[in-house]
Amino acid sequence: IEPTTDKFVAIMNSEDEERIVPGNALTVTPNTPFAGLEKFGNGFLTRFEGSQVTGSEILKNLLIVDTPGILTGEKQTIGRSYNYQEVLEWFAERSDMIILMFDVQKIDVSDELSAAIKSLPKHYNKVRVILNKADSI
C-alpha cells in the first residue's frame, strides 16, 4: 500500500478549463514536457496525472511536479510497480529546481530516501530543502 500521496502530479496552467489529465495522455500531449515518460510503463503512467488549473498567473510560467512520498520498510520493495529512482532522476534532469520537503517530526532515512538523496549530487545546485513544522521543535 502506497502513502496517501501515491501519484506524481503535474500542476500546470490551463487556458480553458480545469481538468485532470491521465499520465498516458500527458506523454503524447503537444506543448508538454512529458514525452519520454512512457518508457517507465503502465505501472508508472497510472500513478502520473496532470492537474490543469485556470486563473493562475504563476502557472503560466511554472510547472510543478508533486512526487509521491518516500516509502519505508517492506513497502519500498513491494509498494511500487515502477522504478521510483529512475523516474525521480528523469524529472531531476529536466527540472530547474528540486525542493526536498521533510517533516521534522518524522524524519526517517529509509533506503528509498537515501537512494533518492544519493541520486541528486549532479543536481546539487538545483536542490533546496524545506523543513516542514520546524517551528514545532
Side-chain angles (χ1 to χ4, degrees):
I1 297 175
E2 291 185 354
T4 306
T5 55
D6 68 343
K7 292 185 178 188
F8 283 80
V9 180
I11 305 164
M12 63 189 98
N13 184 58
S14 174
E15 295 297 330
D16 51 10
E17 67 178 299
E18 294 192 359
R19 62 183 161 267
I20 301 296
V21 181
N24 57 349
L26 281 175
T27 63
V28 295
T29 301
N31 301 319
T32 64
F34 306 116
L37 282 171
E38 66 278 353
K39 74 179 181 179
F40 298 111
N42 198 48
F44 167 72
L45 294 176
T46 60
R47 296 286 187 211
F48 175 52
E49 64 185 29
S51 178
Q52 295 185 325
V53 179
T54 59
S56 173
E57 285 298 314
I58 196 165
L59 288 178
K60 289 182 179 179
N61 299 303
L62 177 73
L63 187 143
I64 299 168
V65 178
D66 184 18
T67 62
I70 301 285
L71 297 178
T72 60
E74 187 178 282
K75 292 182 275 185
Q76 295 175 83
T77 56
I78 62 171
R80 302 203 197 272
S81 56
Y82 57 91
N83 188 315
Y84 185 71
Q85 292 308 127
E86 288 180 10
V87 174
L88 285 181
E89 182 63 24
W90 189 94
F91 279 107
E93 288 173 0
R94 291 157 179 81
S95 71
D96 293 321
M97 181 182 290
I98 300 164
I99 299 172
L100 296 176
M101 185 175 294
F102 293 96
D103 182 335
V104 297
Q105 297 176 342
K106 299 179 185 174
I107 292 182
D108 175 18
V109 182
S110 66
D111 292 342
E112 189 173 64
L113 176 58
S114 179
I117 292 170
K118 287 177 183 173
S119 72
L120 294 176
K122 60 185 165 184
H123 306 290
Y124 76 93
N125 59 331
K126 301 178 188 182
V127 176
R128 304 296 180 267
V129 176
I130 296 176
L131 299 176
N132 191 26
K133 302 178 189 171
D135 60 332
S136 66
I137 55 170

